[in-house]
Amino acid sequence: GAGVSQSPSNKVTEKGKDVELRCDPISGHTALYWYRQSLGQGLEFLIYFQGNSAPDKSGLPSDRFSAERTGGSVSTLTIQRTQQEDSAVYLCASSRRSSGDYGYTFGSGTRLTVV
Amino acid sequence: AQTVTQSQPEMSVQEAETVTLSCTYDTSESDYYLFWYKQPPSRQMILVIRQEAYKQQNATENRFSVNFQKAAKSFSLKISDSQLGDAAMYFCAYNSGAGSYQLTFGKGTKLSVIP
């Protein structure tokens, strides 16, 4: 597509429920990133996918968080047993290059609210 | 680990005036990349300007320019002739180069433009 598409735009969920956040990167971009933006904080790296290589999951905050990328394109971030501290904006980005030296193109994010 | 510090949580500027947003960073690398991203209420992070550390010349994009002081590890953004559409969160970001894919972000500066 023309840009990075994320869905849903907003999600309200009850504590303890599972949620799935979707990211559709720009066509031809092999690198895909997930970041979390909490209120008053900068962006926190979560996970990086590059082509068919094993993802870098070093930023995932707990084992309740997981992500996959199917067919080298669409990615899903799953949060199990959501907690109130998971409330944040989850941003997805993609890039044509495997390195970040030209920055990324971001989507508009999913605002997750856990009540 | 690299850190990026934005010491001004909020700034304001009169329309048509000039404002400077500050950013400092910590690194032991000699070649790296710096960015300023703009995040309007739509939440989509937009790349404003990019600087390559090995280039002495300060990057410029229309009304946006940077003052890159490598020795001082300072990377400030100057917005000239401020417009209402410039109101947004601005994030400074760092990439260590050498194939690294991560961007490290500061906590952001909220810029208000007063008509």
Side-chain angles (χ1 to χ4, degrees):
Chain A
V4 178
S5 178
Q6 291 189 246
S7 61
S9 179
N10 295 282
K11 175 73 176 178
V12 180
T13 189
E14 293 181 352
K15 179 181 173 180
K17 300 279 190 179
D18 297 352
V19 295
E20 286 189 350
L21 312 180
R22 176 189 168 101
C23 173
D24 195 349
I26 292 173
S27 178
H29 281 196
T30 58
L32 186 147
Y33 316 79
W34 284 97
Y35 279 76
R36 179 168 71 175
Q37 183 179 15
S38 303
L39 188 64
Q41 302 295 313
L43 277 70
E44 173 191 8
F45 168 76
L46 296 178
I47 190 168
Y48 164 73
F49 295 91
Q50 170 54 36
N52 296 319
S53 302
D56 175 2
K57 304 179 181 181
S58 62
L60 294 178
S62 78
D63 59 8
R64 296 186 295 105
F65 288 72
S66 63
E68 63 177 18
R69 187 178 185 189
T70 54
S73 181
V74 173
S75 177
T76 302
L77 177 68
T78 301
I79 308 173
Q80 296 179 311
R81 305 180 302 282
T82 52
Q83 303 295 312
Q84 288 187 329
E85 61 262 30
D86 299 334
S87 296
V89 174
Y90 290 83
L91 290 164
C92 177
S94 69
S95 64
R96 185 177 301 279
R97 295 166 63 89
S98 60
S99 59
D101 53 345
Y102 278 83
Y104 320 143
T105 302
F106 282 87
S108 296
T110 295
R111 181 180 298 280
L112 176 66
T113 303
V114 181
V115 297
Chain B
Q2 290 86 9
T3 57
V4 177
T5 302
Q6 294 179 248
S7 59
Q8 307 151 316
E10 295 188 27
M11 293 277 287
S12 63
V13 61
Q14 292 283 144
E15 196 175 3
E17 296 295 307
T18 296
V19 65
T20 299
L21 309 183
S22 301
C23 172
T24 58
Y25 56 94
D26 181 30
T27 184
S28 57
E29 304 291 337
S30 57
D31 290 336
Y32 49 88
Y33 303 86
L34 296 163
F35 308 86
W36 279 98
Y37 276 88
K38 171 185 178 181
Q39 187 182 41
S42 67
R43 294 199 307 250
Q44 184 173 18
M45 301 276 285
I46 301 164
L47 180 62
V48 174
I49 204 162
R50 170 183 178 269
Q51 175 77 43
E52 300 171 344
Y54 57 86
K55 288 188 176 179
Q56 301 275 6
Q57 188 172 5
N58 289 323
T60 298
E61 288 289 342
N62 300 314
R63 297 182 295 106
F64 298 86
S65 61
V66 299
N67 183 4
F68 173 49
Q69 300 290 327
K70 191 172 184 178
K73 298 179 183 177
S74 170
F75 182 61
S76 60
L77 175 70
K78 186 172 83 171
I79 306 173
S80 303
D81 185 26
S82 297
Q83 300 175 1
L84 295 178
D86 295 334
M89 285 290 293
Y90 287 82
F91 291 92
C92 179
Y94 166 95
N95 172 266
S96 62
S100 170
Y101 50 81
Q102 275 201 38
L103 295 186
T104 301
F105 288 84
K107 292 187 177 182
T109 296
K110 183 178 181 181
L111 179 66
S112 301
V113 180
I114 303 165

